Amino acid sequence: MSTDTAQLARTASSLFAAGQVSARALYAHHLAFLREKAGLSLQGLADQCHYEQSYLHRLETGGRLGTLTVAQALDRYYATGTLLAALWRLAKREAKHAANGLTDLEAAATSIQEYALTTIPALLQTPSYAEEQFATTSPQSAEVLAAQIDALLQRQARLTEPTPHPLRYRAVLDELVLHRAARNPATWDGQLDHLIATAQTPTVTLQLLPLHAGPHDLRGPLHLLTFRARNPLAYAHGTLTDHTTDDPDDIEELTRQYDQLRDLALTPAQTIEHLHTLRTT
């Protein structure tokens, strides 16, 4: 790696550690910078490295993180040593801490709009349902599990805290969520009762998106958050990594997709009525 490239790597790492810029943004910026410095178009790079142009574009705009193999291949092409691989690892590490970041964002938000595709949203889970989810997806000791449940209850307190400006929360639940019931029937009935009760809270809106509503643009779980002192933000959940964006164009498009889901969903009253029919007792 050249002296200039090594200095770029040290600077990038320092900026990330100081919280001045996201590691994903640094990685994307360097990918675009190096390509432009080489005098290549996206199509030209695609022809040279045998990756699809659309894929490279998403890497350069932060839409995808890609794999370490790609970062290493581009390091070899640009003769940048391990610069891009190091930035990729920083971005990967950043993504692993995304769940804690969501908790902080929820605490500062004035409104949250959520789309749930696989499980009951965390803010609407009962302790019993949450315990089953934690035990299934990431088994831990009893002490760690208790701490996870306690942290969840603290997050949920935002929905009911008595403040002059309470959090406004809307959740659109894909019907698939309700087809994946808890293993314990009593746990599931308790979760359904909690959904019904919470849906009748003045600051909470709950809607079910039925399977017969057909296809839509939004392909994964999503949070849209608004704040008093900063721009709106979207938090998209992925299988391996999560991604946040405050880019106005991204927010506009994701909001459009969310609004489409909301319009396709059952009304809040219809949703409550349907939840009653799912109870086993």
Side-chain angles (χ1 to χ4, degrees):
M1 185 186 300
S2 70
T3 302
D4 289 344
T5 302
Q7 181 59 44
L8 275 174
R10 288 192 294 270
T11 301
S13 182
S14 298
L15 287 170
F16 168 65
Q20 296 180 25
V21 65
S22 76
R24 182 189 285 263
L26 279 173
Y27 180 58
H29 168 78
H30 279 74
L31 289 174
F33 171 79
L34 290 168
R35 176 181 58 77
E36 292 168 1
K37 183 179 178 181
L40 288 170
S41 65
L42 274 169
Q43 186 58 58
L45 181 61
D47 293 340
Q48 292 288 326
C49 297
H50 309 294
Y51 292 110
E52 291 185 1
Q53 179 181 347
S54 60
Y55 177 73
L56 293 171
H57 174 71
R58 292 190 68 187
L59 294 180
E60 290 189 6
T61 56
R64 288 192 65 173
L65 184 58
T67 66
L68 178 60
T69 300
V70 174
Q72 292 170 331
L74 292 172
D75 266 330
R76 290 192 295 272
Y77 181 78
Y78 293 124
T80 48
T82 59
L83 170 64
L84 296 175
L87 289 174
W88 184 92
R89 288 189 174 95
L90 284 173
K92 188 72 171 179
R93 187 195 317 162
E94 176 185 68
K96 289 183 178 179
H97 296 289
N100 290 334
L102 178 58
T103 300
D104 294 338
L105 291 169
E106 287 176 350
T110 57
S111 74
I112 299 174
Q113 297 185 94
E114 180 172 2
Y115 171 52
L117 182 60
T118 56
T119 60
I120 302 295
L123 292 180
L124 300 177
Q125 292 179 6
T126 63
S128 295
Y129 178 91
E131 184 174 337
E132 183 177 295
Q133 296 298 310
F134 285 133
T136 301
T137 58
S138 56
Q140 300 286 349
S141 67
E143 292 77 11
V144 171
L145 180 59
Q148 290 175 319
I149 297 298
D150 183 63
L152 178 65
L153 293 175
Q154 291 183 41
R155 287 172 63 187
Q156 294 176 351
R158 283 295 320 278
L159 295 180
T160 56
E161 60 184 357
T163 64
H165 304 287
L167 174 71
R168 305 197 68 84
Y169 176 76
R170 176 189 293 271
V172 176
L173 273 60
D174 197 286
E175 190 176 352
L176 289 171
V177 173
L178 302 181
H179 281 284
R180 189 173 287 106
R183 292 188 176 91
N184 186 314
T187 295
W188 186 235
D189 282 344
Q191 179 62 71
L192 293 173
D193 287 341
H194 181 66
L195 288 177
I196 292 167
T198 306
Q200 298 177 73
T201 304
T203 56
V204 174
T205 302
L206 183 61
Q207 292 181 263
L208 175 67
L209 181 67
L211 295 176
H212 64 70
H216 55 80
D217 290 340
L218 199 54
R219 303 300 175 86
L222 175 72
H223 281 73
L224 294 171
L225 305 101
T226 59
F227 309 88
R228 284 193 181 83
R230 58 174 293 178
N231 292 332
L233 184 143
Y235 189 100
H237 303 259
T239 303
L240 298 177
T241 61
D242 296 338
H243 178 56
T244 59
T245 178
D246 60 0
D247 182 275
D249 291 337
D250 291 342
I251 298 297
E252 181 179 3
E253 175 59 19
L254 289 169
T255 299
R256 182 196 66 77
Q257 294 177 11
Y258 188 89
D259 289 345
Q260 180 192 38
L261 288 190
R262 182 194 62 198
D263 293 342
L264 291 171
L266 301 182
T267 67
Q270 291 170 331
T271 297
I272 292 173
E273 181 179 352
H274 183 75
L275 291 172
H276 277 293
T277 69
L278 298 177
R279 296 189 82 266
T280 60
T281 59

